[in-house]
């Protein structure tokens, strides 16, 4: 609102009206100039478009007889080229054509056009391409090109192509690597794992020929066999669901580790061995192949069993002998161990263990018989008992009668059991013994109280039925210091035979015991006494010889029973294979044993002769009188003894001390071991 003034109030309003008129005229002039510029610009644009169209049409006239821009035929750029020019380029391309094959592992091979009989075929195809193209579209073709194969303009000889493909290195057997499926495997230190598949390098020949043919027809100069998928592919990948399920099912069994201990040695059974034994059943559970487990246990037994195997023994005489017979040693119970191992694998519980043994020995390290054993030299008729590596006692003995085929067999055995006061019965004899220690069936060690002497060559004509007859004091010492399963090693050693004998009654020294300590372990040195070393000079190396007489003739059935019914024997009949060889099939039974009075008054003396008089175990019998007993082999009237079937003259013997034939009687056989 304009404030009016008293002097000159109309002048400001006039000035405003003049200013408005001037502004409108300026704007009108500007609008006129803008319209003129737009008109001019439109005219220029139209002229330029018209000129461009004229030029585009003129250029299109050029492509009426040539190929449009950005056009390729058989890998050759033919833009602006005539048909004749394209044909010339194709011929040149065929002449110098070579296809490069890119193989796996970076290898390359080449096939040239001449090798496959490559040649051009111009059958109007180029003309058709040229005729069908629209020259006015040359601009569009410059943006989006066109590619035409040359397969319909070139050909190759199929026979030559087959030969060229067959000659490729990638198809030769020494080069081909078959693909490998992914699989489940045991990795040491990790466990069961899925091993990734391997692609290999094995082209499919039909597929390879097809792709090479296509490339040659199109005049391609390089192709990748991997990209063209000409190689065989694995059938199972590491992500296969069935493979993953298999791994989880087998893992429980395959991850088991069983460590077998054999002294200082060990055998480790782990998934690398177990996995081939595993398979899947129809319900997706792991199944353990029993045959595989059995084979493993069999091989374990072959490696670590020592029973029935030859043994080396450093004898007390110096030389080492090889004992080839006998049953002593480690013996794995293969059936029981197979069952146990199957259960362990199925359980999935790793463990350390010893196998189930049917028979055990003393040691896994070194000789299996250890350092506690009885050593018997059957040639020298002398034994040594070593306990914990120390010689406890040594003594002469009398073994099986060689002349009658009752020789004690050499071999490695073990003490079956021991028994006090057993009665040994057989045809024409019924003999109680105080100390009975069988080690080879019915062959054993026992006291030979009826003998006046031991050792030398007594065994050759006046030996036992196979048992080892010992002086009573020696038998007692051995009995008190020996237990079941102690090894008994019997052997022959040439050069150790001696004609000397030792007295058979009285204390240990009189009985031929060189070392003894009150019936308990002694710390006597394990070396042989100087006296015995001087006595024999054997060869440096000996091998166990077979028994000189038949060891396994018709045997006597023999049984030992305890004297008071609380022993280990039950009186069962058992057959002897070695103890007797007289072929008379006598049955020998040991009934309840008696006390010392029984021993002194046997109902029948051991051997082929019988006697009715009492012979105390302690009564000395002069060894000097033995060779002067002329009547043992010549007693014609023995079967006519009134009281005993075979001793008609026994009643005429004035006293036990005067019995001339006692020392010449063969000893009684031992009983078969019925088991501890």
């Amino acid at each position: 609102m304009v404030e009016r003034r008293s002097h000159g109030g109309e002048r400001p309003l006039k000035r405003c009206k003049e200013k408005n008129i001037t502004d409108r005229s300026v704007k009108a002039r500007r609008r006129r100039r803008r319209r003129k510029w737009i008109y001019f610009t439109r005219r220029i644009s139209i002229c330029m478009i018209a000129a461009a169209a004229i030029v585009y049409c003129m250029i299109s006239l050029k492509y009426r007889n040539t190929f449009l821009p950005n056009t390729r035929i058989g890998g050759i750029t033919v833009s602006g080229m005539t048909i004749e020019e394209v044909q010339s380029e194709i011929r040149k391309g065929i002449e110098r054509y070579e296809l490069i094959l890119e193989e796996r592992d970076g290898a390359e091979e080449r096939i040239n056009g001449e090798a496959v009989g490559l040649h051009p075929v111009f059958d109007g195809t180029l003309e058709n391409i040229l005729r069908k193209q629209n020259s006015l579209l040359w601009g569009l073709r410059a943006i989006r090109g066109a590619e035409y194969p040359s397969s319909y303009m070139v050909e190759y000889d199929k026979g030559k192509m087959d030969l060229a493909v067959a000659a490729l290195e990638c198809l030769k057997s020494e080069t081909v690597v078959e693909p490998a499926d992914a699989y489940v495997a045991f990795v040491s230190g990790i466990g069961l794992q899925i091993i990734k598949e391997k692609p290999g390098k094995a082209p499919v020949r039909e597929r390879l020929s097809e792709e090479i043919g296509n490339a040659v027809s199109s005049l391609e100069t390089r192709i990748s066999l991997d990209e063209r998928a000409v190689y065989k592919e694995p059938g199972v990948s590491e992500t296969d669901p069935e493979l993953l399920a298999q791994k989880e099912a087998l893992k429980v069994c395959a991850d088991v580790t069983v460590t077998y201990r054999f002294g200082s040695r060990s055998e480790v059974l782990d998934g690398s061995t177990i996995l081939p034994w595993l398979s899947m059943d129809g319900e997706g559970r792991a199944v353990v192949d029993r045959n595989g487990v059995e084979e493993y246990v069999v091989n374990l037994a072959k490696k670590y069993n020592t029973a029935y195997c030859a043994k080396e023994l450093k004898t007390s005489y110096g030389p080492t002998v090889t004992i080839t017979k006998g049953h002593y040693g480690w013996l794995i119970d293969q059936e029981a161990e197979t069952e146990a191992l199957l259960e362990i694998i199925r359980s999935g519980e790793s463990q350390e263990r010893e196998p189930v043994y049917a028979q055990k020995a003393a040691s896994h390290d070194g000789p299996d018989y250890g350092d506690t054993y009885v050593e018997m030299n059957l040639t020298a008729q002398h034994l040594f008992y070593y306990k914990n590596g120390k010689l406890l006692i040594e003594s002469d003995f009398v073994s099986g009668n060689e002349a009658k085929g009752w020789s004690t067999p050499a071999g490695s055995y073990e003490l079956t059991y021991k028994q006090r006061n057993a009665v040994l019965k057989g045809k024409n004899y019924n003999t109680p013994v105080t100390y009975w220690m069988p080690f080879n069936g019915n062959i054993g060690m026992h006291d030979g109280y009826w003998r006046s002497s031991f050792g030398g060559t007594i065994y050759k004509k006046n030996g036992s039925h196979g048992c080892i007859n010992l002086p009573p004091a020696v038998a007692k010492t051995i009995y008190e210091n020996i237990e079941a399963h102690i090894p008994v090693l019997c052997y022959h050693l040439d050069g150790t035979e001696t004609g000397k004998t030792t007295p058979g009654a009285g204390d240990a020294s009189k009985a031929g015991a060189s070392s003894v300590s009150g019936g308990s372990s002694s710390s006597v040195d394990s070396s042989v006494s100087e006296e015995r070393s001087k006595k024999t000079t054997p060869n440096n190396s000996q091998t166990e010889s077979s028994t000189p007489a038949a060891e396994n003739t018709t045997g006597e059935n023999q049984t030992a029973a305890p004297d008071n019914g609380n022993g280990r024997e039950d009186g069962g009949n058992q057959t002897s294979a070695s103890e007797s060889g007289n072929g008379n099939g006598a049955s020998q039974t040991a009934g309840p044993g008696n006390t010392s009075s029984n021993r002194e008054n046997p109902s029948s003396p051991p051997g082929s002769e019988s006697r009715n008089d009492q012979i105390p175990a302690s009564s000395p019998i002069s060894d000097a009188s033995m060779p002067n007993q002329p009547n043992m082999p010549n007693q014609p009237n023995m079967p006519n003894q009134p009281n005993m079937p075979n001793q008609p003259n026994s009643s005429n013997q004035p006293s036990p001390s005067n019995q001339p034939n006692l020392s010449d009687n063969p000893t009684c056989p031992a009983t078969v071991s019925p088991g501890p």
Side-chain angles (χ1 to χ4, degrees), residues 76-317:
I76 302 173
T77 300
V78 297
S79 301
M81 298 175 65
T82 63
I83 291 177
E84 292 75 13
E85 291 173 338
V86 173
Q87 289 177 345
S88 177
E89 288 296 321
I90 291 175
R91 291 190 183 96
K92 292 178 181 179
I94 292 175
E95 291 175 358
R96 60 176 183 267
Y97 179 76
E98 185 178 66
L99 176 63
I100 300 175
L101 306 177
E102 297 177 356
E103 302 171 359
R104 284 179 176 172
D105 302 330
E108 290 185 352
E109 292 192 71
R110 300 171 186 269
I111 295 178
N112 57 53
E114 184 179 359
V116 298
L118 188 65
H119 59 278
V121 178
F122 300 128
D123 55 357
T125 302
L126 293 176
E127 288 81 356
N128 288 335
I129 295 173
L130 186 62
R131 185 171 54 253
K132 291 179 180 181
Q133 73 178 14
N134 189 346
S135 60
L136 293 176
L137 300 178
W138 68 268
L140 182 62
R141 182 64 60 81
I143 299 172
R144 295 180 58 187
E147 183 89 20
Y148 300 94
S150 60
S151 57
Y152 41 74
M153 291 177 287
V154 297
E155 287 185 353
Y156 57 85
D157 188 301
K158 291 186 178 181
K160 291 183 177 181
M161 175 63 79
D162 291 340
L163 293 175
V165 172
L168 293 173
E169 290 290 331
C170 63
L171 291 177
K172 294 184 177 179
S173 59
E174 58 269 21
T175 306
V176 172
V177 179
E178 294 292 335
D181 293 344
Y183 62 97
V184 177
F186 180 83
V187 180
S188 180
I190 300 176
L192 203 63
Q193 298 291 314
I194 292 179
I195 306 302
K196 183 179 175 62
E197 70 276 9
K198 295 181 179 180
K201 198 170 66 174
V204 181
R205 183 165 179 171
E206 294 76 12
R207 181 67 176 164
L208 179 62
S209 296
E210 179 183 356
E211 291 300 325
I212 291 177
N214 293 336
V216 170
S217 297
S218 301
L219 297 180
E220 296 182 70
T221 58
R222 181 181 291 270
I223 61 172
S224 171
L225 300 188
D226 235 344
E227 294 177 358
R228 297 297 177 100
V230 302
Y231 290 106
K232 295 180 182 178
E233 295 296 333
V236 180
S237 70
E238 63 179 335
T239 58
D240 186 275
E242 292 185 3
L243 188 64
L244 295 173
Q246 181 185 11
K247 175 192 173 184
E248 293 304 316
L250 301 181
K251 186 176 179 63
V252 174
C253 298
D255 284 347
V256 171
T257 299
V258 181
T259 303
Y260 285 97
R261 297 295 183 187
F262 301 93
S264 61
R265 297 179 294 172
S266 63
E267 289 286 332
V268 179
L269 172 66
D270 58 20
S272 60
T273 302
I274 297 174
L275 187 59
W277 304 341
L278 305 180
S279 60
M280 302 287 291
D281 62 10
E283 299 180 0
R285 296 174 299 188
V287 178
V288 186
D289 180 23
R290 182 183 180 88
N291 293 332
V293 179
E294 285 181 345
E295 184 178 358
Y296 179 84
V297 174
V298 168
N299 292 330
L300 204 66
K302 288 180 180 179
K303 186 174 182 180
Y304 291 99
N305 278 356
T306 61
Y308 307 98
C309 298
K311 304 186 191 304
E312 300 290 330
L313 172 66
K314 176 69 172 178
T315 68
S316 299
Y317 295 83

Side-chain angles (χ1 to χ4, degrees), residues 359-377:
Q359 179 177 300
K360 293 186 177 183
S363 175
H364 284 292
D365 300 317
D368 60 359
Y369 48 81
D371 60 2
T372 298
Y373 57 88
V374 177
E375 174 189 344
M376 291 187 187
N377 185 343

